[in-house]
Amino acid sequence: MGRPGVRLSPARLLAVARKEVIQLRRDPRSLIMAFVLPVLLVLLFGYAISFDVDRIGLAVLDRDNGASSRALVDGFRRSGYFDLVDRPASPGAAERLLERGSARLVLVIPPDFGASLGAGRPAPLQALVDGSDANGAGIALAYAEAVVADFARRAAGRGGPAAKPPLRPEIRVWYNERLDSRRMIVPGLIAVLMMIIAAMLTSLTIAREWERGTMEQLAATPVARAEVVLGKLLPYLAIGLIDVFSTAAIGRVVFEVPYRGDVLLLGAISFVFLVGAFGLGMFISAVVKSQLLATQVSMLVSYLPGFLLSGFAFDVATMPLPLRALSAVVPARHYVTILRGLFLKGVGLEALWPEALALLVFAGLGLGLAVRAFRKETG
């Protein structure tokens, strides 16, 4: 099992790593999981997941049919957020459109809309929104209010009765100027995918030795526990770094996500994160000693926390206090923050050092658990 205090031997480490590479080459499932799955998943989720709300189905119940109402409807169509899908003739027909989901917003223009504008009186409008998707409904209403406000400004510019606002805000968005949700999703997606794949890959390593009956051979070799764990870890660390940079390249080229940070810092922090993730997978493999069970446990401890509590899909700041506290021990949360900082903000360790420190603790914990749980005894 290796005596405490024995110095690590580079030759023994490389021998164990070479043995693991040979096993990987003979296992096409692991190779597919290592090299093909990350690329497929980042493409699939990158295209499938979007928090942008556009192409909103718009129905217009225009009871005025004047020049002003037509100009307002044209403003909705030119905005790029709404698609005019129907012009119902009655309130009942408009209600049926919302019930069927054919339209998400119905704009009701009263009969005296143009006359009220011309006379300088308030011209009310009604917007009926499908609230079954609360987030989408809120964004659709915000878009509608922006279009109406723009229409009012244009009317004021043409000398109409609408009053010019006393303040004219000029809004500047930093880091994600187009408010493109994909720019937020892809860096977080890389973090979650690497957490899942890293834990799953190494969760098979030691369990594979037990199931194939090769643990007896490994037990007979004069190799310390730490040398076995580190030697087995080396090939997966190389694979993990290849996956990180390949998925980052896909995000940059395919999804046009800017990368503004230091590439070397990305590699260094990703290395630390992967040590912890692979160590966690190897700890699971050493404890359960079954490839099937190890895969299931690794999915449970990596996918659910990584997806739900990392900030990838849901803002951590809006979670209840107990969940926010729990998310602090989820490594993917810190890695998501780092990747978004590197991709979108271009910041360095001066801003990311708390998250980097958390990943260092995670790496030490994952590696320590793997070494402690690994046993060479076969009895």
Side-chain angles (χ1 to χ4, degrees), residues 146-170:
V147 172
V148 173
D150 182 67
F151 173 79
R153 284 194 297 269
R154 291 177 183 272
R158 292 193 298 268
K164 294 183 179 180
L167 296 176
R168 183 180 178 183
E170 293 187 2

Side-chain angles (χ1 to χ4, degrees), residues 125-200:
L125 293 168
Q126 185 180 34
L128 307 175
V129 186
D130 181 358
S132 58
D133 177 4
N135 181 64
I139 295 175
L141 275 177
Y143 288 158
E145 290 173 357
V147 172
V148 173
D150 182 67
F151 173 79
R153 284 194 297 269
R154 291 177 183 272
R158 292 193 298 268
K164 294 183 179 180
L167 296 176
R168 183 180 178 183
E170 293 187 2
I171 300 173
R172 296 179 62 190
V173 179
W174 287 12
Y175 313 129
N176 187 4
E177 297 81 0
R178 298 181 299 181
L179 294 178
D180 185 354
S181 67
R182 193 161 281 121
R183 293 191 172 192
M184 175 192 71
I185 288 170
V186 171
L189 181 61
I190 293 173
V192 174
L193 289 181
M194 292 313 304
M195 182 69 200
I196 297 170
I197 292 172
M200 286 184 64

Side-chain angles (χ1 to χ4, degrees), residues 203-212 285-286 289-291 294:
S203 68
L204 304 176
T205 54
I206 298 174
R208 187 192 298 122
E209 300 279 2
W210 287 104
E211 291 189 356
R212 291 182 178 178
S285 184
K289 300 180 182 180
S290 164
Q291 293 190 72

Side-chain angles (χ1 to χ4, degrees), residues 73-372:
V73 174
D74 286 341
F76 273 85
R77 299 174 67 177
R78 288 195 307 269
S79 70
Y81 297 114
F82 295 92
D83 282 339
L84 183 60
V85 296
D86 205 344
R87 289 181 177 268
S90 66
E95 184 178 349
R96 286 191 292 273
L97 289 173
L98 288 175
E99 290 174 350
R100 294 196 302 265
S102 303
R104 296 177 64 180
L105 185 144
V106 175
L107 181 67
V108 181
I109 304 176
D112 57 348
F113 178 73
S116 297
L117 283 179
R121 297 193 303 270
L125 293 168
Q126 185 180 34
L128 307 175
V129 186
D130 181 358
S132 58
D133 177 4
N135 181 64
I139 295 175
L141 275 177
Y143 288 158
E145 290 173 357
V147 172
V148 173
D150 182 67
F151 173 79
R153 284 194 297 269
R154 291 177 183 272
R158 292 193 298 268
K164 294 183 179 180
L167 296 176
R168 183 180 178 183
E170 293 187 2
I171 300 173
R172 296 179 62 190
V173 179
W174 287 12
Y175 313 129
N176 187 4
E177 297 81 0
R178 298 181 299 181
L179 294 178
D180 185 354
S181 67
R182 193 161 281 121
R183 293 191 172 192
M184 175 192 71
I185 288 170
V186 171
L189 181 61
I190 293 173
V192 174
L193 289 181
M194 292 313 304
M195 182 69 200
I196 297 170
I197 292 172
M200 286 184 64
L201 270 176
T202 47
S203 68
L204 304 176
T205 54
I206 298 174
R208 187 192 298 122
E209 300 279 2
W210 287 104
E211 291 189 356
R212 291 182 178 178
T214 56
M215 184 55 76
E216 290 84 355
Q217 300 174 4
L218 191 60
T221 58
V223 183
R225 287 188 301 175
E227 290 172 337
V228 174
V229 171
L230 291 174
K232 283 180 169 291
L233 217 58
L234 288 177
Y236 293 102
L237 286 173
I239 290 172
L241 288 174
I242 292 172
D243 286 342
V244 167
F245 283 104
S246 61
T247 51
I250 290 173
R252 180 68 185 90
V253 175
V254 177
F255 299 111
E256 299 181 353
V257 179
Y259 186 83
R260 298 169 174 143
D262 187 343
V263 176
L264 293 178
L265 183 59
L266 171 64
I269 291 181
S270 297
F271 179 85
V272 173
F273 171 76
L274 290 171
V275 168
F278 283 133
L280 176 63
M282 198 166 292
F283 166 71
I284 294 170
S285 184
V287 170
V288 301
K289 300 180 182 180
S290 164
Q291 293 190 72
L292 177 60
L293 184 58
T295 302
Q296 294 171 343
V297 173
S298 66
M299 283 293 292
L300 180 65
V301 302
S302 62
Y303 176 74
L304 291 179
F307 189 84
L308 298 176
L309 299 176
S310 67
F312 159 65
F314 310 104
D315 187 4
V316 175
T318 63
M319 296 179 183
L321 181 59
L323 288 182
R324 290 205 304 271
L326 181 61
S327 71
V329 300
V330 176
R333 172 188 171 178
H334 306 288
Y335 195 39
V336 166
T337 302
I338 288 172
L339 287 183
R340 285 177 177 165
L342 290 173
F343 270 88
L344 302 179
K345 298 180 180 180
V347 295
L349 279 177
E350 72 282 353
L352 301 175
W353 69 265
E355 288 77 19
L357 182 61
L359 291 186
L360 274 173
V361 173
F362 169 58
L365 183 63
L367 199 57
L369 286 173
V371 173
R372 186 174 181 83

Side-chain angles (χ1 to χ4, degrees), residues 9-67:
S9 166
R12 290 196 294 264
L13 280 175
L14 291 177
V16 175
R18 213 165 20 241
K19 175 181 178 295
E20 194 65 29
V21 170
I22 294 173
Q23 287 190 336
L24 273 172
R25 289 171 56 186
R26 294 174 178 173
D27 188 356
R29 293 176 302 175
S30 294
L31 290 176
I32 291 173
M33 190 187 303
F35 293 109
V36 179
L37 193 59
V39 174
L40 288 180
L41 288 179
V42 77
L43 288 172
L44 176 63
F45 285 113
Y47 280 116
I49 300 177
S50 176
F51 300 133
D52 296 331
V53 179
D54 53 12
R55 317 294 295 181
I56 301 167
L58 172 69
V60 177
L61 178 56
D62 188 355
R63 293 181 163 181
D64 181 82
N65 285 316

